[in-house]
Amino acid sequence: MTPRRLILLLSALGVFGILPNSSFPALVPDFIQAWSLTNAEAGWIAGMYYLGYMACVATAMLLTDRIDAKWVFITGCLLAGGSTVVYAMLADGFWSAMLLRGIAGIGHAAIYMPGLRALTDRLGQFPGGSGPALQSRAVTLYTASYSVSIAASFTLTGLLAEWFGWRISFGVVGALALLPGIVTWMMLSDLPPPKAEGKPRLDWRPVFRNRAALGYIVAYGAHGFELMAMRTWLTAFLVFALAREAANTPSWLPGPTLLAAFITLIGLPASLLGNEVALKVGRRRALIVIMSISALLGMVYGFMSALPILWLLLFMCVYFIFICGDSGSLTAGMMAAADPAARGATMAVHSIFGFGASVLGPLCVGLALDAVFPVFGHGVLAWGLGLAVMGFGAALGPLALWWWAREKAA
């Protein structure tokens, strides 16, 4: 297998492995109605996925220092795909859904970054395969596949649920997530275990002493809070907006899940573009501007449902460009600011903090919606107030960059 084919294979397997990611957000309105969930309960179910990720990502990465990352990846596919299949068969309310989504999040933790480790370790086996140019392209393509997977998750889950019901939809998505584990087992040869001595551990202390890196880490948490809240409530908000403008909605416009898929797919070029801008004008300065604009747009996001539907969709696309415009640069900034001797620990804290905040985003919006709906009804004002929580959470990002990353402009 050539390096190029290996990169394409692992990137494709990563797309399929994390397909369950947005299955619940794609059908939030359906589950709220079918199980009589509160918005806060829906937020808990959505957030539990990221809590599972946060709880296990450091352990998963430590394991890749002890065993071939291929086996961690395969285990992740079994957990993510298997729990989604079980969800299709047995989920019947808040508690069962939350438990199974948490297990799927644990699977995600064993798929995404360990898959990248499996890729880069194998590239190093080729003559010249560990060169910086090839490694950089491999990392870029692999990480870019994340946005493809999110969009595919919205699309596939929504279409299958519309045609066959949500249980068939989750069953198919879960089966597809199992497939990469089988392909990996069959097609990737084993590598010798990494050479490591002593008990694997992470020393967190140098990370929290590094103010420059800490600024990027906290800002990444604010980014995760806003991004996951937006993704979780995207379909529900579109259902409201399309119903409100039903008389003026063009017949050619697709349904809410396909619209959500299109909007989330914008994240791929937005992240690449944001990184290029950061390289031109300076990373910290560009991030402060991008994240500040994103926060302001988030504060008025829900109120924009008063606009005609096409103008609202345009606003949502612009808003999502700014949400995703900082993601690649935040991670690159963290890597640049990290102490080389503590880079693994810094990456772990970065991921844990980002996905920990991702748990809170969907939940906080759900709590806000539960608070405003009884007072203001289910109209524009209520959605505007509830979704504004995303913008206020995102505003912590530029503040963190200004305060903690002052000592080392990247």
mmCIF file of all heavy atoms in Angstrom, residues 44-62:
data_model
loop_
_atom_site.group_PDB
_atom_site.id
_atom_site.type_symbol
_atom_site.label_atom_id
_atom_site.label_comp_id
_atom_site.label_asym_id
_atom_site.label_seq_id
_atom_site.Cartn_x
_atom_site.Cartn_y
_atom_site.Cartn_z
ATOM 1 N N TRP A 44 -28.688 17.115 27.895
ATOM 2 C CA TRP A 44 -27.897 16.129 28.617
ATOM 3 C C TRP A 44 -27.530 14.947 27.722
ATOM 4 O O TRP A 44 -26.387 14.472 27.731
ATOM 5 C CB TRP A 44 -28.671 15.613 29.835
ATOM 6 C CG TRP A 44 -28.405 16.355 31.111
ATOM 7 C CD1 TRP A 44 -29.278 17.092 31.844
ATOM 8 C CD2 TRP A 44 -27.148 16.420 31.798
ATOM 9 N NE1 TRP A 44 -28.657 17.622 32.951
ATOM 10 C CE2 TRP A 44 -27.349 17.218 32.948
ATOM 11 C CE3 TRP A 44 -25.882 15.884 31.563
ATOM 12 C CZ2 TRP A 44 -26.321 17.490 33.855
ATOM 13 C CZ3 TRP A 44 -24.860 16.157 32.463
ATOM 14 C CH2 TRP A 44 -25.086 16.951 33.589
ATOM 15 N N ILE A 45 -28.509 14.451 26.965
ATOM 16 C CA ILE A 45 -28.235 13.303 26.093
ATOM 17 C C ILE A 45 -27.180 13.668 25.053
ATOM 18 O O ILE A 45 -26.244 12.898 24.789
ATOM 19 C CB ILE A 45 -29.527 12.823 25.406
ATOM 20 C CG1 ILE A 45 -30.521 12.292 26.452
ATOM 21 C CG2 ILE A 45 -29.227 11.728 24.385
ATOM 22 C CD1 ILE A 45 -31.896 11.993 25.890
ATOM 23 N N ALA A 46 -27.329 14.849 24.464
ATOM 24 C CA ALA A 46 -26.343 15.290 23.478
ATOM 25 C C ALA A 46 -24.976 15.489 24.113
ATOM 26 O O ALA A 46 -23.938 15.078 23.570
ATOM 27 C CB ALA A 46 -26.815 16.579 22.808
ATOM 28 N N GLY A 47 -24.955 16.120 25.301
ATOM 29 C CA GLY A 47 -23.684 16.398 25.957
ATOM 30 C C GLY A 47 -22.990 15.164 26.487
ATOM 31 O O GLY A 47 -21.755 15.134 26.595
ATOM 32 N N MET A 48 -23.753 14.113 26.821
ATOM 33 C CA MET A 48 -23.152 12.901 27.368
ATOM 34 C C MET A 48 -22.177 12.258 26.385
ATOM 35 O O MET A 48 -21.190 11.629 26.783
ATOM 36 C CB MET A 48 -24.256 11.908 27.748
ATOM 37 C CG MET A 48 -23.759 10.684 28.494
ATOM 38 S SD MET A 48 -22.814 11.063 30.005
ATOM 39 C CE MET A 48 -24.061 11.968 30.948
ATOM 40 N N TYR A 49 -22.427 12.424 25.093
ATOM 41 C CA TYR A 49 -21.508 11.905 24.080
ATOM 42 C C TYR A 49 -20.116 12.517 24.271
ATOM 43 O O TYR A 49 -19.097 11.812 24.257
ATOM 44 C CB TYR A 49 -22.054 12.242 22.693
ATOM 45 C CG TYR A 49 -21.278 11.681 21.533
ATOM 46 C CD1 TYR A 49 -21.628 10.459 20.960
ATOM 47 C CD2 TYR A 49 -20.203 12.377 20.992
ATOM 48 C CE1 TYR A 49 -20.912 9.946 19.882
ATOM 49 C CE2 TYR A 49 -19.486 11.880 19.925
ATOM 50 C CZ TYR A 49 -19.846 10.666 19.362
ATOM 51 O OH TYR A 49 -19.137 10.159 18.300
ATOM 52 N N TYR A 50 -20.075 13.830 24.475
ATOM 53 C CA TYR A 50 -18.798 14.522 24.626
ATOM 54 C C TYR A 50 -18.196 14.278 26.000
ATOM 55 O O TYR A 50 -16.973 14.320 26.163
ATOM 56 C CB TYR A 50 -18.985 16.003 24.345
ATOM 57 C CG TYR A 50 -19.606 16.230 22.992
ATOM 58 C CD1 TYR A 50 -20.919 16.686 22.855
ATOM 59 C CD2 TYR A 50 -18.901 15.934 21.827
ATOM 60 C CE1 TYR A 50 -21.495 16.847 21.618
ATOM 61 C CE2 TYR A 50 -19.472 16.093 20.581
ATOM 62 C CZ TYR A 50 -20.773 16.553 20.478
ATOM 63 O OH TYR A 50 -21.353 16.704 19.246
ATOM 64 N N LEU A 51 -19.041 14.009 27.004
ATOM 65 C CA LEU A 51 -18.518 13.647 28.311
ATOM 66 C C LEU A 51 -17.800 12.302 28.232
ATOM 67 O O LEU A 51 -16.732 12.124 28.845
ATOM 68 C CB LEU A 51 -19.657 13.580 29.328
ATOM 69 C CG LEU A 51 -19.247 13.280 30.773
ATOM 70 C CD1 LEU A 51 -18.329 14.378 31.301
ATOM 71 C CD2 LEU A 51 -20.483 13.161 31.661
ATOM 72 N N GLY A 52 -18.379 11.348 27.496
ATOM 73 C CA GLY A 52 -17.702 10.075 27.295
ATOM 74 C C GLY A 52 -16.371 10.254 26.598
ATOM 75 O O GLY A 52 -15.361 9.634 26.970
ATOM 76 N N TYR A 53 -16.346 11.115 25.595
ATOM 77 C CA TYR A 53 -15.097 11.407 24.889
ATOM 78 C C TYR A 53 -14.069 11.998 25.841
ATOM 79 O O TYR A 53 -12.923 11.546 25.920
ATOM 80 C CB TYR A 53 -15.365 12.371 23.734
ATOM 81 C CG TYR A 53 -14.141 12.709 22.919
ATOM 82 C CD1 TYR A 53 -13.899 12.081 21.699
ATOM 83 C CD2 TYR A 53 -13.214 13.655 23.352
ATOM 84 C CE1 TYR A 53 -12.776 12.383 20.945
ATOM 85 C CE2 TYR A 53 -12.085 13.959 22.620
ATOM 86 C CZ TYR A 53 -11.875 13.330 21.414
ATOM 87 O OH TYR A 53 -10.753 13.624 20.683
ATOM 88 N N MET A 54 -14.495 13.023 26.583
ATOM 89 C CA MET A 54 -13.579 13.727 27.471
ATOM 90 C C MET A 54 -12.991 12.778 28.514
ATOM 91 O O MET A 54 -11.809 12.836 28.838
ATOM 92 C CB MET A 54 -14.313 14.865 28.171
ATOM 93 C CG MET A 54 -13.463 15.652 29.155
ATOM 94 S SD MET A 54 -14.436 16.729 30.215
ATOM 95 C CE MET A 54 -15.224 15.525 31.270
ATOM 96 N N ALA A 55 -13.821 11.881 29.044
ATOM 97 C CA ALA A 55 -13.387 11.003 30.126
ATOM 98 C C ALA A 55 -12.335 9.996 29.677
ATOM 99 O O ALA A 55 -11.526 9.547 30.499
ATOM 100 C CB ALA A 55 -14.594 10.268 30.706
ATOM 101 N N CYS A 56 -12.309 9.654 28.399
ATOM 102 C CA CYS A 56 -11.468 8.538 27.947
ATOM 103 C C CYS A 56 -10.396 8.904 26.942
ATOM 104 O O CYS A 56 -9.581 8.041 26.588
ATOM 105 C CB CYS A 56 -12.354 7.434 27.363
ATOM 106 S SG CYS A 56 -13.419 6.659 28.600
ATOM 107 N N VAL A 57 -10.377 10.144 26.449
ATOM 108 C CA VAL A 57 -9.428 10.453 25.387
ATOM 109 C C VAL A 57 -7.987 10.364 25.873
ATOM 110 O O VAL A 57 -7.100 9.876 25.151
ATOM 111 C CB VAL A 57 -9.721 11.843 24.772
ATOM 112 C CG1 VAL A 57 -9.540 12.965 25.796
ATOM 113 C CG2 VAL A 57 -8.849 12.077 23.544
ATOM 114 N N ALA A 58 -7.711 10.799 27.109
ATOM 115 C CA ALA A 58 -6.332 10.720 27.602
ATOM 116 C C ALA A 58 -5.896 9.266 27.742
ATOM 117 O O ALA A 58 -4.766 8.904 27.383
ATOM 118 C CB ALA A 58 -6.221 11.447 28.942
ATOM 119 N N THR A 59 -6.786 8.423 28.270
ATOM 120 C CA THR A 59 -6.463 7.000 28.408
ATOM 121 C C THR A 59 -6.219 6.358 27.046
ATOM 122 O O THR A 59 -5.284 5.562 26.873
ATOM 123 C CB THR A 59 -7.611 6.266 29.119
ATOM 124 O OG1 THR A 59 -7.807 6.849 30.407
ATOM 125 C CG2 THR A 59 -7.311 4.786 29.263
ATOM 126 N N ALA A 60 -7.066 6.711 26.076
ATOM 127 C CA ALA A 60 -6.898 6.145 24.733
ATOM 128 C C ALA A 60 -5.546 6.528 24.146
ATOM 129 O O ALA A 60 -4.859 5.692 23.536
ATOM 130 C CB ALA A 60 -8.034 6.626 23.824
ATOM 131 N N MET A 61 -5.130 7.778 24.353
ATOM 132 C CA MET A 61 -3.849 8.204 23.796
ATOM 133 C C MET A 61 -2.679 7.575 24.545
ATOM 134 O O MET A 61 -1.647 7.252 23.951
ATOM 135 C CB MET A 61 -3.751 9.728 23.825
ATOM 136 C CG MET A 61 -4.716 10.421 22.865
ATOM 137 S SD MET A 61 -4.652 9.755 21.179
ATOM 138 C CE MET A 61 -2.973 10.167 20.691
ATOM 139 N N LEU A 62 -2.821 7.383 25.860
ATOM 140 C CA LEU A 62 -1.776 6.693 26.603
ATOM 141 C C LEU A 62 -1.598 5.259 26.105
ATOM 142 O O LEU A 62 -0.478 4.743 26.034
ATOM 143 C CB LEU A 62 -2.110 6.692 28.089
ATOM 144 C CG LEU A 62 -1.790 7.967 28.874
ATOM 145 C CD1 LEU A 62 -2.346 7.872 30.285
ATOM 146 C CD2 LEU A 62 -0.300 8.232 28.905
#
